[in-house]
Amino acid sequence: MDHFLYRNGALHAEDVPLAEIAATVGTPVYVYSAATLVRHFRLFDEALEGLDHLVCYAMKSNSNQAVLTLLAGLGAGMDVVSGGEYQRAKAAGVPGDKIVFSGVGKTVDEMRMALTGGVRQFNVESEPEMRVLSDVAVELGLRAPITIRVNPDVDAMTHAKIATGKSENKFGIPIARAREVYAEAAALPGIEVVGIDVHIGSQLTDLAPFEAAYLKVAELTRALRADGHTIRRLDLGGGLGIPYAHSNQAPPLPKDYGALIKRTVGDLGCEIEIEPGRLVSGNAGVMVSKVVYVKSGEGRDFLILDGAMNDLVRPAMYDAHHDIVPVIEPALGLEPAPIDIVGPVCESGDTFAKQRLMPPLSPGDLVAFRSAGAYGAVMASEYNTRPLVPEVLVHGDQWSVIRPRPSVADIIARDHVPDWVRDGSTECDS
Ligand code: LLP
């Protein structure tokens, strides 16, 4: 459930009409519901009740500082994948001992930053990374707490670009080699092994792959303990999917996922961490866009919006489906008709939906892309010198711009034209 509902024929975010925000801030614009963020975070927290646990929000899904501060206030930990995300988490008031550091390519600078600033653990993805981390920790007179991310070779049955748990993926170390790698970890002077990490992919709409992966982790926990390692923490990753087509999808609920965790690893006496991103932020956001033109083509019509692939890249990148709904409810009796919904960017890939059934719309009408709170604004760019899409947070009848739209003048001013280009001296080079 989310808090984007029609009231008196107008789509609202909580108590605020989306049209009011669009009129003030302009379009395209992302709008988030604080109540939905809170509700979704709590669903996970409650699902793990009874276990010693920490929900570490995967902030890559939506890392606006206001969103992070709101979740930090609820006690959320954070899953970060870069030095930049680490600094955002700290700036939002998240203590180091609630920050887990994931990612396949952590640099020495990032390791140093997290070790000196405080970190719950590094989720180590390879032996070379582990050796470098040990050296960095020793140099600082510290020991780095780690889990090792194991790749369980499980098919997550999701889009190939967001599946991570198969042996052909770049993530983690093969589970079959785990005992060997843990033995090396135990011998490294700058490393303190605290547990095991696994993450098999994103937008999983079936619990079976989680079950297969977690059973393998449970078996590995027993084997590693028998080898003499202290395994006191399991990081079970993120990945629980959300309904993108609201009318016909019902992915598993956090409470069923929580029950699965209890059933598969609950008897091991470990602290449990999970790293949900999409399920916390996805349905807490919409992107509002305006119709610029309705164009009749050869055998099909096009709805041309002012939002584009640079603002919401998921359809172009993953063929992802987003429900697209009119902000003003269509009058009864208006027949929907198929239409291609596109943006203005000069690529055919700038297509949000093909032959989507939509009510008749005219230039100036607003539409909302649902389920756009995760991997929406964070993946936006300024391609075609389209200013980065702004973000708004709603709480009841209050709303605030939490990231303004930059001006084109700001964008131009960021670039530097060297004197030797301006004075034309490059013309002499041959
Ligand atoms: N933990 C790790 C180690 C991850 O790599 C990810 C996502 C998560 C947690 C959070 O997964 P979630 O709960 O959000 O499914 N841009 C793509 C999704 C990429 C996911 C990357 N990793 C999209 O728009 O669908």
Side-chain angles (χ1 to χ4, degrees):
M1 197 210 112
D2 58 46
H3 288 77
F4 296 93
L5 297 170
Y6 288 103
R7 286 195 204 163
N8 301 323
L11 192 59
H12 282 60
E14 303 191 19
D15 299 332
V16 181
L18 288 175
E20 177 187 317
I21 295 173
T24 315
V25 184
T27 50
V29 56
Y30 279 96
V31 181
Y32 309 130
S33 149
T36 313
L37 287 164
V38 171
R39 181 183 139 80
H40 289 171
F41 173 77
R42 291 219 168 112
L43 285 178
F44 277 111
D45 216 19
E46 286 160 16
L48 297 183
E49 221 166 56
L51 290 176
D52 183 3
H53 71 274
L54 183 66
V55 179
C56 296
Y57 169 62
M59 58 183 277
K60 61 165 76 74
S61 68
N62 184 324
S63 55
N64 186 288
Q65 218 50 39
V67 170
L68 301 183
T69 305
L70 182 150
L71 293 173
L74 303 177
M78 296 286 158
D79 170 46
V80 309
V81 292
S82 69
E85 286 196 348
Y86 178 85
Q87 291 177 69
R88 274 193 180 277
K90 291 301 282 284
V94 183
D97 65 4
K98 284 188 168 177
I99 302 178
V100 304
F101 207 128
S102 300
V104 286
K106 301 173 199 81
T107 64
V108 167
D109 286 347
E110 288 173 329
M111 292 170 178
R112 230 178 247 137
M113 179 192 295
L115 279 169
T116 50
V119 67
R120 184 175 179 84
Q121 94 235 1
F122 292 91
N123 293 333
V124 165
E125 299 239 8
S126 67
E127 290 129 298
E129 178 198 336
M130 187 167 80
R131 293 173 199 139
V132 170
L133 181 60
S134 176
D135 290 347
V136 175
V138 168
E139 187 193 296
L140 294 168
L142 298 167
R143 285 178 81 204
I146 70 153
T147 68
I148 296 177
R149 178 169 175 182
V150 292
N151 186 327
D153 196 19
V154 164
D155 187 349
M157 297 186 290
T158 183
H159 190 285
K161 284 189 186 160
I162 53 175
T164 56
K166 284 290 284 170
S167 55
E168 71 252 32
N169 301 129
K170 69 181 173 185
F171 300 96
I173 55 141
I175 198 161
R177 287 192 37 241
R179 292 173 75 175
E180 196 187 305
V181 181
Y182 272 87
E184 178 178 350
L188 287 170
I191 294 293
E192 182 203 354
V193 170
V194 299
I196 307 174
D197 172 43
V198 69
H199 170 79
I200 55 173
S202 195
Q203 185 52 18
L204 273 71
T205 50
D206 185 347
L207 289 179
F210 286 119
E211 175 145 24
Y214 297 169
L215 286 172
K216 287 189 180 193
V217 167
E219 194 187 318
L220 179 63
T221 304
R222 294 191 184 95
L224 291 175
R225 284 179 172 168
D227 289 347
H229 300 284
T230 304
I231 303 296
R232 58 184 167 85
R233 185 178 293 167
L234 299 180
D235 182 333
L236 300 175
L240 195 59
I242 60 171
Y244 276 99
H246 283 71
S247 55
N248 63 9
Q249 284 179 335
L253 301 171
K255 74 172 169 43
D256 299 326
Y257 175 66
L260 164 75
I261 289 176
K262 290 178 187 166
R263 199 166 66 240
T264 50
V265 298
D267 62 343
L268 295 167
C270 287
E271 277 174 273
I272 300 297
E273 290 164 4
I274 52 169
E275 302 170 348
R278 192 188 310 266
L279 207 142
V280 176
S281 57
N283 280 323
V286 297
M287 186 182 82
V288 181
S289 186
K290 191 183 279 174
V291 177
V292 185
Y293 295 112
V294 184
K295 168 173 164 175
S296 290
E298 196 79 26
R300 59 175 68 204
D301 292 342
F302 296 94
L303 195 63
I304 303 175
L305 303 180
D306 64 358
M309 63 189 289
N310 70 297
D311 305 306
L312 176 64
V313 77
R314 302 192 69 259
M317 195 153 171
Y318 313 112
D319 297 317
H321 172 99
H322 285 263
D323 281 350
I324 303 170
V325 297
V327 165
I328 302 301
E329 225 170 0
L332 282 177
L334 285 179
E335 276 301 307
I339 193 159
D340 283 12
I341 305 177
V342 302
V345 161
C346 312
E347 296 195 27
S348 299
D350 187 22
T351 297
F352 291 119
K354 287 200 165 140
Q355 295 299 286
R356 182 72 63 86
L357 274 183
M358 294 294 286
L361 288 164
S362 310
D365 287 347
L366 298 171
V367 294
F369 287 74
R370 307 213 48 171
S371 316
Y375 307 110
V378 283
M379 294 180 79
S381 76
E382 288 180 339
Y383 186 38
N384 281 205
T385 308
R386 296 169 45 83
L388 208 54
V389 57
E391 297 170 274
V392 164
L393 183 64
V394 174
H395 170 52
D397 60 3
Q398 310 176 48
W399 63 273
S400 290
V401 174
I402 56 172
R403 179 185 291 166
R405 190 190 315 273
S407 68
V408 172
D410 293 337
I411 298 176
I412 295 173
R414 281 205 308 260
D415 293 356
H416 171 66
V417 184
D419 289 344
W420 47 266
V421 169
R422 202 182 292 281
D423 70 14
S425 58
T426 48
E427 283 169 26
C428 320
D429 298 342
S430 56

